[in-house]
Amino acid sequence: MGRAPCCDKNGLKKGPWTSEEDLLLTNYIQTHGPGNWRTIPKNAGLQRCGKSCRLRWTNYLRPDIKRGRFSFEEEEAIIQLHSVLGNKWSAIAARLPGRTDNEIKNYWNTHVRKRLLRTGIDPVTHAPRLDLLDISSILRSAIGNVNPSILNLQGLLGAQALMNPEFLKLAATATLLSLKNNENPSNLVSQVQQQFNSAGNCLVQNQVAAPNDPFQTPTHVNNGLSSSSPENSILSHLGENNNYQLNAQQINQVDLLLDHELEHYLNCVNQNIGYESVTPLSTPTPLNSSSTYVNSSTEEERDTYCSDIFKLEIPESLDISDFL
DNA sequence: AAGTCACGCAACCGCTCGCGC
DNA sequence: GGCGCGAGCGGTTGCGTGACT
């Protein structure tokens, strides 16, 4: 378009504002109002471009700006709004009184983004990071020295299959179930995968709506696991092979791991109803959920909260803190 | 105590949008 | 419809500061 530069580059000051400049700008705007930003520096006696004045005013000098540390409620709101709006910092700022888009953007990049990454959540999609979500690692951490090759879920299932948290969790459950019964986990996991595949296109990821589809609600579907076919029943494979031995302690730990999830799953199988995890691996927080607000503010507490968003329901007695 | 490194934040830059002519 | 301009937005930069060695 060939537009002129926003200001004459020659003779105009750049860099940090001095208190004298702040005073000049504040006094002028409080007297005359913002008006035309291009004319403000000249009228206020500032050697700055209008753009610089506008930024200084909107991001720092405005009287309604809330300074200081973000509260946990604000941080939670930022995360939720970002999951809906994406990097629309001004839109997010509009919903957080007293906070500027620049401030929120900085806070996101320096704190929230890192925290989400640290807790295994993709800061862009707000979904669990699949590259980190190696259930095999969790299982190994949980049950100790089992041959890594027999716990390689990603190898067994393929990366795409891991896109479904429910399936992922069920596969992990199947692996533990197999180990408990001295089976090769690949057999049972394959059965689970076949049932998923044969159930049609039910492998819909349970995920947060993408930023560019802001009003899509999270999809949570029955994963399609059917127990109608006896030969495909997971239970039918119990006790076949005895090549994968766990010691007594490991079996005990597997029992703890399987406690809730397996019980629920077996109930579904026995009643011939659809299985839906009682503790979804990925549980996107509803935007309007006031229950998600936690009145804590330490880094550790926030980390814990963030990891709770998608954690596996693993008993506290198991030492998996290194992984988490 | 001095040097180095990492981090946080204010400010800048380049681009797009919307409006008036 | 095209152009010029102001305003706003999002990404990036660079400086100040505190932590660490």
Side-chain angles (χ1 to χ4, degrees):
Chain A
M1 209 184 287
R3 54 169 301 184
C6 73
C7 58
D8 179 9
K9 301 289 181 185
N10 297 325
L12 292 183
K13 193 178 172 194
K14 289 169 63 175
W17 281 63
T18 64
S19 54
E20 288 79 15
E21 289 176 312
D22 284 345
L23 194 60
L24 282 172
L25 182 61
T26 304
N27 286 340
Y28 181 85
I29 291 179
Q30 284 180 345
T31 306
H32 302 91
N36 187 331
W37 286 109
R38 179 164 281 216
T39 62
I40 280 181
K42 184 183 173 185
N43 295 337
L46 289 161
Q47 298 298 310
R48 296 272 182 176
C49 73
K51 195 172 183 175
S52 182
C53 292
R54 181 178 57 80
L55 278 173
R56 183 64 178 171
W57 174 258
T58 55
N59 288 336
Y60 198 83
L61 297 176
R62 239 174 48 204
D64 58 332
I65 286 180
K66 190 195 292 182
R67 317 290 313 174
R69 189 182 171 86
F70 280 76
S71 68
F72 187 77
E73 286 77 13
E74 286 177 312
E75 178 174 323
E76 179 63 18
I78 290 170
I79 294 172
Q80 295 193 3
L81 287 166
H82 186 273
S83 71
V84 175
L85 299 168
N87 290 0
K88 305 292 182 189
W89 305 118
S90 59
I92 295 172
R95 290 161 176 79
L96 286 172
R99 299 296 188 180
T100 70
D101 55 351
N102 205 39
E103 194 177 14
I104 292 170
K105 178 175 60 182
N106 283 334
Y107 189 70
W108 176 270
N109 288 327
T110 56
H111 293 90
V112 183
R113 188 173 169 277
K114 287 176 186 173
R115 193 191 319 285
L116 292 180
L117 285 171
R118 203 160 58 230
T119 52
I121 299 173
D122 187 322
V124 177
T125 64
H126 291 256
R129 289 181 63 193
L130 295 175
D131 55 335
L132 297 180
L133 200 58
D134 183 357
I135 294 298
S136 307
S137 301
I138 298 176
L139 298 179
R140 274 198 292 278
S141 299
I143 63 180
N145 297 323
V146 174
N147 183 350
S149 65
I150 65 172
L151 278 177
N152 184 3
L153 281 182
Q154 184 157 359
L156 288 171
L157 304 174
Q160 251 196 326
L162 298 183
M163 292 293 287
N164 187 316
E166 298 296 342
F167 178 42
L168 194 58
K169 189 169 186 176
L170 185 58
T173 303
T175 301
L176 292 172
L177 191 60
S178 299
L179 292 171
K180 185 188 176 188
N181 291 283
N182 301 326
E183 285 188 311
N184 181 348
S186 63
N187 296 339
L188 190 47
V189 171
S190 297
Q191 292 292 327
V192 172
Q193 188 175 23
Q194 282 175 19
Q195 292 195 22
F196 263 83
N197 293 338
S198 65
N201 296 322
C202 293
L203 278 171
V204 179
Q205 186 182 359
N206 179 16
Q207 61 182 12
V208 176
N212 46 3
D213 188 7
F215 302 107
Q216 179 186 335
T217 53
T219 307
H220 192 100
V221 297
N222 188 313
N223 57 27
L225 184 69
S226 162
S227 61
S228 60
S229 174
E231 62 274 22
N232 282 340
S233 166
I234 288 174
L235 295 176
S236 70
H237 282 265
L238 296 180
E240 283 187 357
N241 303 317
N242 293 312
N243 300 328
Y244 301 91
Q245 300 278 341
L246 296 181
N247 62 34
Q249 185 185 0
Q250 288 168 333
I251 290 174
N252 184 44
Q253 289 177 316
V254 168
D255 276 336
L256 288 170
L257 270 172
L258 293 174
D259 191 24
H260 294 96
E261 189 69 13
L262 180 59
E263 180 182 11
H264 178 63
Y265 170 71
L266 293 179
N267 282 340
C268 293
V269 169
N270 290 336
Q271 294 170 30
N272 201 23
I273 60 176
Y275 167 81
E276 185 172 355
S277 171
V278 290
T279 52
L281 190 63
S282 173
T283 312
T285 309
L287 187 62
N288 57 358
S289 171
S290 59
S291 65
T292 60
Y293 291 125
V294 178
N295 290 323
S296 57
S297 57
T298 66
E299 293 284 318
E300 293 75 15
E301 287 168 327
R302 294 184 195 202
D303 277 352
T304 302
Y305 173 73
C306 288
S307 58
D308 282 350
I309 290 173
F310 72 103
K311 72 178 182 182
L312 273 166
E313 194 74 8
I314 294 174
E316 289 179 6
S317 57
L318 298 177
D319 181 18
I320 57 169
S321 55
D322 286 345
F323 177 84
L324 293 176

